[in-house]
Amino acid sequence: MRAMASEQGMSSWTDLLHSSTKLLEQAAPSAQFPPLQRNLDQLEALSKKLKAKTLRTEAPSQSIAATRLLAREGINAEQLTRDLKSFELKTTFEDVFPAEATSVEEYLQQEDWQKEKRDFLQSLSRISTLPKTNMIDKSSGGIRSGQMVPMASSSQVSSGTSAIGLLPLADKPVVEKKVSVYAEVVRNLNNARQQGLPFKPATAFKVAYESLGTEASGGKSVNMQKMWHLILKLMGEDSMMRQSVSRKMSLVIGARRHLEWGHEKYIMDIIQSHPAQAALGGAVGNLHRVRAFLRIRLRDYGLLDFDAGDARRQPPIDTTWQQIYFCLRTGYYDEARQVALSSRASHQFAPLLAEWINGGGMVPAHTAAAAAEECEKMFRMGDRVGRASYDKKKLLLYAIISGSRRQIDRLLRDIPSLFSTIEDFLWFILSAVQDFPGGTSFNEGLVPYSLDDLQAYLNKFEPSYYTKNGKDPLVYPYILLLSIQLLPAISYLSKEAGEEEYHIDAAHIAIVLADNRVLSEVSGAGQKLGVMDAYAEASSIIRQYGSMYLRLGNLQMALEYYAQAAAAVGGGHVSWTGRGSVDQQRQMNLMLKQLLTEILFRDGGVYLLLGSRGAGEEGELRRFLTDHKARQQFLLEAARQCQDSGLYDKSIEIQKRIGAFSMALDTINKCLSEAICALSRGRLDGESQTAGLIHSGNEILETFKYYPEVSFQEREHVSEQQTILRQLETILSIHKLTRLGQYLDALREVAKIPFLPFDPRAPDTSADVLQNLSPHVQACLPDLLKVAITCLDNVSDTDGSLRAMRSKIATFLANNMRQNWPRDLYEKVAKSL
């Protein structure tokens, strides 16, 4: 065949050459059209060039028709072409409808393709909604939930792009807006807890986050809005939980309900995307939705039983187990029970399902045993050739009722393609998990699949496996929360800042979990922390976040977060009413006082906590320390800590506020003594410092005159401190006179000092005057003696009184050699003599 084709081709070329030669011979040369000589290669090149020009100016009729159709629908054909050029097709296990052809591990490996597909389809959606006068897409809208991972997202985009500062909330950057709305919720939460009013923190934080209007997934399967919905479900704030259900089981049920909520959104999206196949009509019932979904999902299987008007004409497909499974998976429990009761295929299963539903996912041991036995029967029968894949749902449902680790492990091993998404897998396991009291014994085949088993399985994979090396950062903490690994989830989030500063969300999730007192229930496989360790970790996250406000000078908000940090170790919401355990109350009080002291030490801290006057009756302190004696004790200790830290002004202010006048005067005298010593050594700021201290001391003494209910002992102490203050004032005045060169006046003041034996006209005394002097005054004596000698050296002795004073000073110094005063003092006195 090839030889014949070659011979025909050669014949055609020969005929063409012969015809061309004849035409050339017949053509007469012309001046207007001179003859041109071209060989075949040149003709081929010129032909290709001509063809290229015509292709640029002409388009196939099909292309023109397609462009016209797209334009009629408001779609930019050029934009669509660019998107298609950058769109890379990849292998996937079923494009629109799950074919049960992936394992749990393979799900995450296929997730990138799903994101890219959703991004592309969403971009087409945005293009079609643009005005027809502007066909260029410049927006960055949200992303719809895809097939593999049902998700909630918003298509709104933040409008805040201006710099931070004193701007309206709408004009601030997204992160700062998030900080602001979260802070308002914390303030409202604290007020509600203090007043004993009901408050749902998870709901409030979720609403606050949604108010930002910035949630756009950007190709991510999990966003913070979805995380907050999960937290809300875990806390059970939108439902009434049975009193008989344990706290751990209530968390499991909450996680399951969140997954059911997500699946309901998913099936509604599928129905809306395929209205003709769904054939929902005007029906709005839950069972109608599930059946509409099955019409789409099982469209290739033939006539379905609920659509068969005449079963004799064509045997319909029995969808009993599909209906029951998808009703349960979507949270339609009543409808699942209805289907089970109405079908002969599920007649034996119906009572087991009723027990599971009525028990909140818990069934008696004999019911679990019956379900496990049914699983064994199905496994023994094996897979029959040609059996429809949806029969596997029957085995799956019986495994849920049994809760048996053996049956579940075998199911996952023998049918690895049973779940197409990790959320379907988690729902199955969370539905099978049952909470039995410790010490319960089981037969080998009935050992329950526990929450620890699930956590251990999920923790075999690194965080990067779930997040796709950081491309989808919230997937890992989302999985941790779904598997009730609460503390690891917030710990991971607190360290994963990202563009959206997720550590901000982590602190507020920690507040919700600690307030609801759930961290002590479960910590995560391999992380068996003590009760206080778990809450201390959460408290640390909250405290660290609150310290940000402290550094920024926003003491009010720092106080609100510090209150939550203390409540975290005190029992959550019960700590506000004093209903926590004794140990919890002790832990809370210790931390609260530590954090309040931290605020008190800051500029403006005294005013915030104590108000403009008084000992906290008008400030924020009374919110957290309601007892007057407790406030007094706290402030006394805080004043001591201020003094130990060198914050004397703040210590004095606190002591004045609580009426500890003698303590305040003692602090003033200590500071005044140090300032006098500094002044004598030439420090320039000593004079202004001493003036302020003396003014404060006099002010306290004036206030003390009118202070009611002062004990006799306190009056005695104030009197002693007043004497010390006056003695220090005298010493200070002598230093000032000396600095001014008024040596004689200074010596006169030295002679008048009643507590020192330096008056030349007074008789000598051998009494130990130092034993009656305050340490603050004694600290000033070496410098005072030096000043006195300096003055004596600069004044003429006309009557011998100065010589007598020298002698008294020398005697005084000799009598107090044990004081270990500076060596240069002794040398100065000796030289003067």
Side-chain angles (χ1 to χ4, degrees):
M1 292 294 292
R2 290 182 181 178
M4 293 176 62
S6 300
E7 291 176 2
Q8 291 176 357
M10 290 297 295
S11 175
S12 299
W13 278 108
T14 303
D15 293 341
L16 180 62
L17 179 61
H18 181 68
S19 301
S20 300
T21 304
K22 282 189 175 183
L23 286 172
L24 184 62
E25 292 175 351
Q26 295 173 0
S30 160
Q32 187 177 0
F33 302 104
L36 294 174
Q37 296 292 331
R38 296 287 186 269
N39 59 31
L40 288 176
D41 291 338
Q42 290 173 322
L43 286 173
E44 183 181 8
L46 290 170
S47 298
K48 289 182 178 179
K49 187 175 181 182
L50 181 62
K51 183 180 179 181
K53 289 181 179 180
T54 59
L55 286 176
R56 284 199 297 268
T57 57
E58 296 181 5
S61 59
Q62 295 91 340
S63 176
I64 295 172
T67 303
R68 189 182 299 115
L69 176 62
L70 290 171
R72 189 185 307 141
E73 296 300 322
I75 299 176
N76 187 340
E78 293 183 0
Q79 176 69 37
L80 180 60
T81 302
R82 286 195 297 270
D83 286 342
L84 285 171
K85 285 181 178 178
S86 62
F87 185 67
E88 180 184 356
L89 290 176
K90 295 181 180 179
T91 303
T92 180
F93 284 93
E94 182 112 354
D95 191 8
V96 179
F97 312 108
E100 301 177 347
T102 59
S103 65
V104 176
E105 290 82 358
E106 289 169 331
Y107 153 68
L108 289 170
Q109 297 172 4
Q110 299 300 323
E111 195 174 4
D112 282 350
W113 147 247
Q114 293 293 332
K115 295 174 191 172
E116 293 184 28
K117 181 183 70 176
R118 291 197 298 268
D119 285 344
F120 172 67
L121 295 176
Q122 184 66 24
S123 69
L124 293 184
S125 176
R126 292 198 307 270
I127 294 171
S128 64
T129 59
L130 289 175
K132 291 182 174 58
T133 56
N134 178 16
M135 301 299 293
I136 301 176
D137 174 37
K138 296 181 180 179
S139 65
S140 58
I143 187 159
R144 294 183 181 177
S145 60
Q147 171 68 19
M148 295 304 254
V149 183
M151 57 182 284
S153 63
S154 169
S155 60
Q156 294 175 314
V157 181
S158 169
S159 60
T161 56
S162 59
I164 62 174
L166 299 177
L167 300 173
L169 186 61
D171 296 330
K172 294 180 179 179
V174 174
V175 171
E176 189 179 356
K177 286 197 290 185
K178 180 163 68 172
V179 168
S180 179
V181 296
Y182 279 174
E184 185 62 27
V185 173
V186 173
R187 186 185 291 111
N188 294 338
L189 170 61
N190 288 350
N191 289 335
R193 291 290 180 255
Q194 286 171 334
Q195 298 173 38
L197 300 175
F199 193 88
K200 296 180 178 180
T203 303
F205 282 122
K206 177 178 177 289
V207 171
Y209 185 84
E210 290 172 345
S211 71
L212 300 177
T214 59
E215 191 59 72
S217 63
K220 298 179 176 64
S221 61
V222 180
N223 52 40
M224 191 49 65
Q225 184 178 353
K226 191 173 183 179
M227 294 280 284
W228 275 120
H229 184 274
L230 172 56
I231 296 295
L232 185 153
K233 289 292 185 180
L234 288 173
M235 300 303 104
E237 290 186 358
D238 63 344
S239 61
M240 291 294 293
M241 198 65 66
R242 296 168 176 268
Q243 294 294 327
S244 58
V245 174
S246 68
R247 182 68 62 86
K248 181 188 293 187
M249 200 62 192
S250 70
L251 291 169
V252 170
I253 293 172
R256 199 170 67 219
R257 286 176 176 172
H258 166 76
L259 292 171
E260 291 162 358
W261 164 83
H263 196 265
E264 183 180 37
K265 291 175 65 66
Y266 163 65
I267 68 168
M268 292 307 298
D269 287 344
I270 292 295
I271 291 171
Q272 290 171 10
S273 301
H274 304 80
Q277 295 173 8
L280 188 59
V284 293
N286 292 337
L287 186 55
H288 291 105
R289 295 191 183 100
V290 170
R291 287 175 173 175
F293 173 71
L294 288 175
R295 288 189 188 101
I296 304 169
R297 181 182 177 86
L298 305 177
R299 60 180 177 176
D300 297 330
Y301 285 93
L303 183 66
L304 306 183
D305 52 1
F306 50 78
D307 287 333
D310 185 1
R312 294 172 298 177
R313 186 180 63 183
Q314 178 183 354
I317 302 299
D318 187 354
T319 62
T320 298
W321 301 108
Q322 289 274 343
Q323 290 187 65
I324 295 173
Y325 169 76
F326 282 109
C327 282
L328 291 176
R329 179 68 181 87
T330 315
Y332 302 157
Y333 288 9
D334 290 338
E335 288 75 10
R337 185 174 5 211
Q338 174 187 337
V339 173
L341 288 170
S342 63
S343 173
R344 286 185 300 176
S346 56
H347 180 71
Q348 293 181 346
F349 180 72
L352 306 183
L353 177 62
E355 284 191 273
W356 184 86
I357 293 173
N358 294 334
M362 298 285 291
V363 295
H366 68 272
T367 301
E373 178 59 30
E374 190 65 27
C375 289
E376 289 287 351
K377 289 180 182 178
M378 284 185 275
F379 278 125
R380 283 196 296 267
M381 289 171 60
D383 288 332
R384 293 175 297 180
V385 177
R387 191 178 70 168
S389 61
Y390 54 80
D391 286 343
K392 298 172 186 176
K393 294 294 189 291
K394 177 181 179 181
L395 181 58
L396 184 152
L397 290 168
Y398 271 103
I400 288 175
I401 303 299
S402 75
S404 166
R405 182 194 297 171
R406 177 178 175 178
Q407 305 303 330
I408 291 171
D409 286 343
R410 185 172 179 181
L411 178 68
L412 297 175
R413 183 180 65 251
D414 291 359
I415 317 177
S417 62
L418 189 58
F419 302 106
S420 58
T421 75
I422 196 170
E423 290 174 314
D424 286 342
F425 165 74
L426 287 171
W427 179 85
F428 166 68
I429 296 297
L430 291 172
S431 300
V433 166
Q434 300 193 34
D435 189 22
F436 291 97
T440 306
S441 59
F442 301 94
N443 295 330
E444 183 180 353
L446 292 177
V447 174
Y449 195 99
S450 68
L451 199 56
D452 286 344
D453 294 330
L454 172 62
Q455 293 170 356
Y457 172 77
L458 295 172
N459 291 343
K460 289 192 298 184
F461 306 98
E462 294 294 326
S464 58
Y465 175 76
Y466 295 100
T467 66
K468 287 297 180 182
N469 294 319
K471 294 178 183 177
D472 210 344
L474 291 183
V475 171
Y476 182 61
Y478 179 66
I479 297 298
L480 290 176
L481 289 173
L482 282 172
S483 56
I484 323 299
Q485 300 184 75
L486 307 181
L487 185 61
I490 57 175
S491 297
Y492 178 85
L493 266 181
S494 67
K495 299 176 180 66
E496 181 66 26
E499 294 180 0
E500 299 185 36
E501 303 288 347
Y502 292 129
H503 67 279
I504 298 172
D505 306 283
H508 297 88
I509 294 174
I511 287 175
V512 174
L513 299 180
D515 185 76
N516 281 273
R517 202 64 189 170
V518 295
L519 289 171
S520 58
E521 296 302 319
V522 283
S523 58
Q527 300 188 35
K528 301 301 182 184
L529 299 176
V531 172
M532 291 312 300
D533 289 339
Y535 287 99
E537 180 71 20
S539 175
S540 175
I541 293 173
I542 301 168
R543 176 182 179 176
Q544 186 175 2
Y545 182 81
S547 66
M548 171 195 70
Y549 284 101
L550 201 67
R551 292 191 297 272
L552 294 174
N554 190 341
L555 302 187
Q556 179 66 59
M557 280 316 305
L559 177 63
E560 302 294 342
Y561 282 95
Y562 279 3
Q564 278 296 326
V569 297
H573 68 274
V574 299
S575 67
W576 297 88
T577 55
R579 290 186 287 121
S581 67
V582 174
D583 186 55
Q584 288 172 345
Q585 288 296 312
R586 183 182 63 83
Q587 291 283 347
M588 186 190 73
N589 288 333
L590 285 174
M591 177 168 286
L592 183 61
K593 289 177 180 179
Q594 179 184 355
L595 297 177
L596 289 173
T597 303
E598 200 173 315
I599 292 175
L600 204 61
F601 280 15
R602 295 280 177 159
D603 291 340
V606 172
Y607 184 84
L608 173 68
L609 292 180
L610 306 187
S612 58
R613 60 181 180 178
E617 294 81 4
E618 298 180 359
E620 294 290 323
L621 187 61
R622 64 176 178 172
R623 291 174 56 195
F624 307 102
L625 297 177
T626 56
D627 182 68
H628 175 72
K629 289 184 177 179
R631 285 199 300 271
Q632 290 284 105
Q633 186 60 39
F634 163 71
L635 291 171
L636 277 173
E637 181 59 33
R640 290 192 188 97
Q641 290 185 34
C642 286
Q643 192 164 333
D644 294 341
S645 302
L647 302 174
Y648 297 114
D649 290 346
K650 200 169 289 290
S651 176
I652 292 167
E653 175 65 19
I654 296 172
Q655 290 162 347
K656 282 166 54 179
R657 293 294 196 93
I658 61 177
F661 297 109
S662 62
M663 288 183 63
L665 287 170
D666 180 66
T667 303
I668 288 174
N669 289 335
K670 179 181 186 299
C671 294
L672 183 57
S673 172
E674 293 175 353
I676 291 171
C677 293
L679 182 65
S680 66
R681 296 185 181 99
R683 211 171 80 182
L684 298 178
D685 62 340
E687 191 164 344
S688 62
Q689 189 177 5
T690 55
L693 289 167
I694 291 172
H695 175 76
S696 296
N698 291 332
E699 193 178 59
I700 290 173
L701 291 169
E702 186 65 24
T703 304
F704 177 73
K705 292 179 182 178
Y706 307 101
Y707 201 81
E709 301 179 2
V710 177
S711 66
F712 174 78
Q713 187 179 18
E714 177 66 7
R715 288 191 179 277
E716 287 292 311
H717 290 160
V718 169
S719 178
E720 292 174 6
Q721 294 299 326
Q722 182 178 14
T723 299
I724 296 169
L725 178 63
R726 299 302 174 230
Q727 291 171 345
L728 291 171
E729 279 188 274
T730 300
I731 294 173
L732 178 62
S733 67
I734 294 171
H735 280 287
K736 289 181 177 180
L737 289 171
T738 303
R739 287 167 64 88
L740 293 172
Q742 299 176 13
Y743 302 118
L744 186 58
D745 292 336
L747 289 173
R748 291 193 182 108
E749 293 300 321
V750 171
K752 291 179 183 178
I753 295 177
F755 54 87
L756 291 176
F758 296 156
D759 186 352
R761 295 169 297 181
D764 294 336
T765 177
S766 60
D768 187 0
V769 297
L770 292 183
Q771 66 178 357
N772 297 320
L773 285 181
S774 162
H776 304 322
V777 176
Q778 290 187 40
C780 297
L781 289 185
D783 290 323
L784 177 63
L785 294 176
K786 291 179 185 178
V787 165
I789 295 298
T790 299
C791 292
L792 288 171
D793 291 343
N794 286 278
V795 177
S796 301
D797 186 2
T798 57
D799 58 359
S801 59
L802 298 184
R803 183 165 53 86
M805 182 177 285
R806 287 179 194 272
S807 177
K808 287 181 176 287
I809 291 174
T811 301
F812 176 79
L813 196 61
N815 291 336
N816 292 281
M817 294 291 289
R818 66 183 182 278
Q819 295 298 325
N820 196 27
W821 282 334
R823 182 179 180 84
D824 62 338
L825 171 61
Y826 295 98
E827 293 175 352
K828 190 175 184 68
V829 172
K831 189 182 294 185
S832 175
L833 292 174

